[in-house]
Amino acid sequence: MDKYPKYISQEKQELFERYLLNEMDKAEQPAFLAKLDADASLKAEFNEFKKLFSAVEEASLHEKMNEYHKTFETYSSKEATSKKRFPFRINYGIAASVILLLSLGGIWYFNAGNKTEKLFDEFYSPDPGLPTVMGDTNNYDFYEAMVAYKHGDYDQAIEKWKKLLVTKQQNDTLNYFLASAQMAIGDEKAANAGFLKVIANKGSVFEDDAYFYLGLEALNRGAIPEAKSLLELSKKEASKELLNQLRKK
Amino acid sequence: MNQTKTNPFLARTQEETFTGVIQNNDLVLRSLYEGVYPKVRHYILQNNGSDDQAKDTFQEAFVTTWKNVKDGKLKKDNGLNVEAYLFTVAKNKWLDYLRSSRYKKTTRVDKVIHLRPDVEEEESEPDQGQDEMMAMQRAFKQLGEKCKMVLKLFYFERKSMDEISSELQITSASVRNQKYRCMEKLRLLSLEIKSNG
């Protein structure tokens, strides 16, 4: 005698599959459900098969998620590198050190500067970008640059997006990501101009993010009141958190 | 319009997202993952978490959301947004963890009391049959590569016999038989795992 009940026939498996894959027509589906209701052993077989089907799907989903996550693993390591490349924060540290040596007042400035820098570091990370698998050939150039952006190759992304901007001056997506890339390499002046263009485009889906990055840029310059008023205009959760931190200062 | 951050390049209605999730559409699942993960990561890092914890919590939430869409617990006609739902599930999972004894054993309680659960979305994941499902998934991992591939292409990626046949360079009849034999093997392995604990 078999240790376990025998597995269903191939025909039965295919019948169950057709139901679960929604391949039955309007007449067949209720007839199948009625059959299940009338036959307890068939129903038990169906329920077991349904679980196996779901297990295959869920196990496959886990594999897929790890595949999707690789984008972020590459990105995170690039992000760490790009943060180190931020030129103005290095200068800030040097400036603060010089001031510390100059006077007692310098000690206060150094501490204040450190707090600002710490907050900036805590809240700043370049926008993670858009998924790059949409396959719309019309936007091929845009997404080619997005791939570079997501890999931390901001210079290449900027070069490509600048070319597209010639014919799409008002495109908020383009302006937003170009500005994000410029901010990531420390070109805050260009980034500011780009984010302002996004805001000028009323109703842009990037408006809250643009205000957030403008606020961060002001914070990085030490312009706290300006940073606060910009962050107040952003509905982003991170903007609210940063604003709270600034109010505590 | 029930959309989160969308843009002209990514216009996709909630209906398309729901259908895509139900059918395991790779583009839809990928953009859902890539679109929501950065926000969850940011939230968890801001609330005493690490990158690894962000990944684990988000993936758990992703599976819960995916299941709830498939089971019809999250319906497209009630105005819910899949992206927002996923974020809330992940956030709630992280808050649950912060309140858990596992976390409190190593952390001062006052660090977390300001956090409030976000109750606007119900997170429902019944534990019934969880052991059986775990056994089945373990069994799937133990299958041979060929079996895993056939089952994955058919049940997850929803490819036709002909598509699988050309992808694996075997006849359609062979695909059909392998699919049946591999499912039978999966069941047997699951039963063995379950009975051996």
Side-chain angles (χ1 to χ4, degrees):
Chain A
M1 195 179 145
D2 287 335
K3 195 175 170 188
Y4 304 111
K6 212 168 171 264
Y7 185 53
I8 53 173
S9 69
Q10 189 163 13
E11 288 68 32
K12 220 178 240 179
Q13 174 176 306
E14 287 169 354
L15 175 76
F16 293 164
E17 282 167 356
R18 293 200 322 105
Y19 175 76
L20 293 169
L21 292 169
N22 213 12
E23 286 171 355
M24 287 183 174
D25 60 36
K26 279 183 182 170
E28 199 181 0
Q29 205 183 53
F32 172 75
L33 290 173
K35 228 174 166 182
L36 280 188
D37 276 343
D39 185 341
S41 80
L42 183 71
K43 195 167 189 172
E45 285 174 340
F46 172 74
N47 285 339
E48 185 192 45
F49 180 77
K50 194 178 167 187
K51 281 179 196 157
L52 286 169
F53 186 122
S54 301
V56 173
E57 277 196 290
E58 200 174 320
S60 305
L61 181 68
H62 279 284
E63 285 180 12
K64 276 281 168 194
M65 288 192 300
N66 288 330
E67 187 188 311
Y68 301 153
H69 203 84
K70 280 184 185 148
T71 314
F72 295 104
E73 279 157 9
T74 317
Y75 174 68
S76 294
S77 60
K78 294 278 180 184
E79 186 187 21
T81 316
S82 76
K83 275 197 166 192
K84 281 180 195 149
R85 284 170 58 202
F86 244 74
F88 46 88
R89 271 179 287 154
I90 295 165
N91 295 341
Y92 211 69
I94 294 167
S97 304
V98 171
I99 291 163
L100 172 71
L101 291 171
L102 287 176
S103 69
L104 264 176
I107 293 169
W108 173 84
Y109 187 82
F110 176 73
N111 286 336
N114 250 356
K115 275 183 191 168
T116 311
E117 190 181 343
K118 215 175 149 190
L119 268 183
F120 180 89
D121 278 343
E122 197 182 319
F123 281 85
Y124 176 73
S125 65
D127 187 295
L130 298 173
T132 49
V133 290
M134 302 315 291
D136 183 342
T137 48
N138 292 334
N139 298 314
Y140 181 79
D141 291 338
F142 176 83
Y143 279 106
E144 204 187 9
M146 184 58 79
V147 171
Y149 176 88
K150 290 175 82 163
H151 282 80
D153 190 350
Y154 300 116
D155 295 323
Q156 201 193 124
I158 290 169
E159 194 189 320
K160 286 177 191 289
W161 279 332
K162 270 187 176 170
K163 281 182 194 159
L164 290 179
L165 199 65
V166 175
T167 52
K168 294 176 177 174
Q169 285 286 327
Q170 301 307 317
N171 186 299
D172 61 336
T173 308
L174 199 51
N175 275 306
Y176 175 76
F177 284 105
L178 176 59
S180 294
Q182 286 162 331
M183 188 159 179
I185 60 161
D187 186 355
E188 66 270 34
K189 197 176 165 191
N192 245 8
F195 288 132
L196 287 171
K197 274 191 197 170
V198 175
I199 289 159
N201 189 336
K202 280 213 161 184
S204 165
V205 290
F206 297 104
E207 192 175 323
D208 291 327
D209 295 285
Y211 275 122
F212 172 68
Y213 283 113
L214 281 169
L216 272 174
E217 194 278 319
L219 173 70
N220 199 53
R221 278 187 279 117
I224 311 286
E226 187 186 335
K228 283 182 183 169
S229 53
L230 286 163
L231 291 166
E232 275 168 4
L233 295 167
S234 167
K235 292 185 197 81
K236 255 176 96 82
E237 200 179 332
S239 303
K240 288 173 195 159
E241 285 171 29
L242 178 55
L243 203 52
N244 283 338
Q245 299 275 344
L246 286 173
R247 281 176 182 146
K248 283 181 205 162
K249 276 171 76 75
Chain B
M1 190 80 170
N2 46 1
Q3 285 182 329
T4 50
K5 182 171 158 180
T6 58
N7 68 78
F9 294 96
L10 275 178
R12 177 180 286 127
T13 63
Q14 279 300 305
E15 181 153 1
E16 285 166 332
T17 304
F18 268 90
T19 310
V21 171
I22 290 167
Q23 295 173 348
N24 304 327
N25 180 298
D26 190 43
L27 295 183
V28 171
L29 292 177
R30 183 187 283 270
S31 58
L32 188 59
Y33 194 104
E34 291 193 348
V36 182
Y37 178 70
K39 292 173 202 160
V40 171
R41 176 180 176 263
H42 178 78
Y43 179 80
I44 292 177
L45 294 188
Q46 293 296 305
N47 287 289
N48 311 321
S50 67
D51 256 320
D52 286 345
Q53 286 170 320
K55 181 186 171 187
D56 292 345
T57 308
F58 179 70
Q59 291 199 346
E60 264 182 48
F62 197 88
V63 173
T64 302
T65 304
W66 173 81
K67 275 186 190 165
N68 287 351
V69 170
K70 276 179 179 286
D71 295 346
K73 286 174 190 156
L74 183 62
K75 289 189 172 60
K76 61 186 165 199
D77 48 11
N78 63 7
L80 278 174
N81 175 310
V82 182
E83 291 84 354
Y85 182 85
L86 171 57
F87 177 78
T88 307
V89 172
K91 191 173 158 186
N92 287 350
K93 276 186 188 290
W94 183 244
L95 293 178
D96 285 347
Y97 170 73
L98 291 182
R99 283 193 195 81
S100 67
S101 51
R102 198 152 53 103
Y103 178 74
K104 284 176 182 168
K105 265 180 200 164
T106 54
T107 316
R108 278 178 49 180
V109 177
D110 59 359
K111 269 183 105 175
V112 293
I113 53 168
H114 65 285
L115 297 165
R116 293 276 176 272
D118 196 334
V119 291
E120 66 195 58
E121 306 289 356
E122 180 202 354
E123 189 202 339
S124 51
E125 193 178 11
D127 282 334
Q128 276 178 351
Q130 196 65 22
D131 288 349
E132 196 177 1
M133 183 54 84
M134 294 298 282
M136 286 175 176
Q137 287 188 47
R138 271 178 65 198
F140 180 77
K141 282 185 190 162
Q142 289 175 22
L143 285 176
E145 282 308 312
K146 256 188 186 172
C147 262
K148 273 205 275 190
M149 184 58 82
V150 170
L151 298 184
K152 195 166 92 178
L153 291 173
F154 186 78
Y155 295 107
F156 183 76
E157 297 193 12
R158 308 283 166 99
K159 294 205 168 154
S160 69
M161 292 291 177
D162 289 343
E163 285 169 321
I164 300 173
S165 152
S166 73
E167 200 167 325
L168 301 181
Q169 301 281 297
I170 50 175
T171 63
S172 290
S174 229
V175 174
R176 181 173 174 245
N177 286 331
Q178 278 195 29
K179 174 165 66 67
Y180 178 67
R181 294 289 162 216
C182 293
M183 222 36 182
E184 188 177 18
K185 204 171 168 186
L186 175 69
R187 174 185 179 259
L188 185 64
L189 270 172
S190 310
L191 292 170
E192 293 284 353
I193 290 172
K194 218 179 138 194
S195 71
N196 293 333

